[in-house]
Amino acid sequence: MATTSSASHQLVVLAAALALVGGLYVLPKGILKPKESRSELNSDAAKTANRDGGGSKTNGSKTEASSGPVPATATDNGGAHSDDDGHDHGSSAPAAAPHTTATAAQRQELTRLLAQYKAAPDDAARGEVATTLARRYESVERFDSAGYYLERNALARPTARNWQRAADAYFQAFSFAASDERVKLLGGKARELYAKVLKQEPGNLDAKTNLGMAYMASENPVQGVTILREVLEADPRNEKALYNMGILAVQSDQYDKAVKRFQDLVKVNPKNVNGQFYLGVTLARTGAKEAAKAAFLTAKSLSADPALAASVDEEIAKLK
């Protein structure tokens, strides 16, 4: 479900993970900087990792433009993202947060599709329009709106695939949320829809992994860890679960455990850039400087991203 820009952001360094619930970090989008204190990470995380804010004036300033795509506010796009799209996107989004904007042509098309959706003669026709409308909302990074309409389509055609498309869109919106309220709201919606996927496809490990991460922002984060462990029991080579468990270990200062997770990850996929970089970070934290340097250099060799290269050079310099 991720757009090209949001997918490429997975490789961008220097953003902390979102710290909003229970002292745990959720959905890391970049690289945890070892030199930043936990308090600095906490204050910066809500501005950087979720892309509703942050940028060059935050403590994670090295992300600059690489804060990535951000969802538009509810007042942008001529109102197409507020009352007219059929559900509440929350008034808690910061008014001054940077946001994507739609072109005049995009706004016009959204307006046309919304009218077409409302005029659809039956659920089947409405579901068809909803799918197109969701794609258009995704193109302007309004993932909660996309999720809303994909859910409408899933209600008309309740297949596991359609439920997962809706769940993935809400999960994307959840990972971009800037406030505790929005994290809980969107995370709850993602959990609800992933549960529908898993009811039809209990062995869908991708959905189960995202469900586990969505639980990390709930009142029961332990359930999220349990779910991720269940995924790894079913598939010890699951890259997404290994990565997220490694990140959670980093965020709880369990660096030995984190090293093991990232070592397992890069054994499964030696070309996993984030895995190699985080392996370097965690090895450095445990004092294994030469091994850390090797992991950093491997990460650098796997990507042409200048931000990653700069971060690797910075980390290696600190090993000396």
Side-chain angles (χ1 to χ4, degrees):
M1 275 299 193
T3 63
T4 301
S5 57
S6 62
S8 66
H9 182 71
Q10 298 302 315
L11 303 181
V12 175
V13 297
L14 310 165
L18 176 61
L20 288 175
V21 178
L24 292 172
Y25 293 81
V26 181
L27 300 171
K29 297 298 175 186
I31 302 300
L32 175 70
K33 295 303 292 175
K35 70 180 180 182
E36 292 177 314
S37 69
R38 179 164 300 280
S39 62
E40 288 173 324
L41 289 171
N42 282 341
S43 65
D44 192 41
K47 301 175 184 177
T48 55
N50 48 63
R51 293 161 237 169
D52 270 354
S56 60
K57 295 183 180 180
T58 68
N59 184 52
S61 61
K62 287 76 72 174
T63 51
E64 14 72 33
S66 66
S67 290
V70 295
T73 65
T75 56
D76 188 32
N77 285 8
H81 189 61
S82 54
D83 295 339
D84 288 341
D85 76 349
H87 87 298
D88 178 22
H89 300 278
S91 59
S92 60
H99 56 271
T100 60
T101 59
T103 65
Q106 287 172 322
R107 291 197 298 270
Q108 185 176 17
E109 184 176 21
L110 284 169
T111 299
R112 178 183 65 79
L113 288 170
L114 286 165
Q116 187 178 342
Y117 175 82
K118 292 178 180 179
D122 53 44
D123 288 343
R126 196 171 294 111
E128 289 284 351
V129 180
T131 301
T132 303
L133 193 51
R135 286 198 296 266
R136 299 301 180 268
Y137 275 120
E138 286 175 334
S139 72
V140 292
E141 280 101 23
R142 296 178 183 274
F143 297 107
D144 54 347
S145 288
Y148 175 81
Y149 285 105
L150 288 169
E151 184 181 7
R152 304 280 73 72
N153 180 54
L155 289 167
R157 302 176 182 82
T159 65
R161 179 177 180 274
N162 287 341
W163 285 123
Q164 182 156 2
R165 290 185 67 194
D168 286 346
Y170 272 114
F171 187 81
Q172 189 87 325
F174 159 66
S175 73
F176 291 176
S179 70
D180 190 20
E181 179 184 359
R182 293 288 285 164
V183 165
K184 290 181 178 178
L185 175 68
L186 296 168
K189 194 65 184 178
R191 292 193 300 275
E192 173 192 336
L193 298 182
Y194 281 127
K196 292 180 182 293
V197 176
L198 292 169
K199 185 175 182 179
Q200 294 187 32
E201 295 182 348
N204 187 325
L205 297 185
D206 184 68
K208 192 167 186 177
T209 299
N210 285 358
L211 174 64
M213 291 308 294
Y215 263 108
M216 299 308 298
S218 73
E219 294 181 356
N220 188 14
V222 174
Q223 179 66 14
V225 175
T226 298
I227 290 172
L228 291 175
R229 286 175 175 165
E230 289 174 356
V231 170
L232 288 175
E233 287 175 5
D235 177 17
R237 295 172 58 84
N238 189 289
E239 290 185 49
K240 185 187 288 187
L242 285 169
Y243 174 77
N244 284 320
M245 287 295 286
I247 289 296
L248 292 173
V250 170
Q251 312 297 17
S252 58
D253 296 330
Q254 300 179 76
Y255 299 113
D256 289 338
K257 290 184 178 180
V259 166
K260 179 62 167 61
R261 295 298 188 186
F262 292 123
Q263 286 176 331
D264 289 345
L265 174 57
V266 300
K267 285 178 184 177
V268 172
N269 181 8
K271 294 184 178 181
N272 188 304
V273 180
N274 276 358
Q276 292 286 1
F277 189 97
Y278 274 119
L279 178 58
V281 168
T282 52
L283 285 168
R285 294 275 185 107
T286 60
K289 293 184 178 182
E290 289 303 314
K293 181 178 179 179
F296 284 133
L297 290 175
T298 299
K300 185 177 181 179
S301 72
L302 293 172
S303 174
D305 189 329
L308 175 66
S311 185
V312 166
D313 291 343
E314 180 182 347
E315 292 302 316
I316 290 177
K318 291 191 297 185
L319 293 173
K320 296 178 180 179

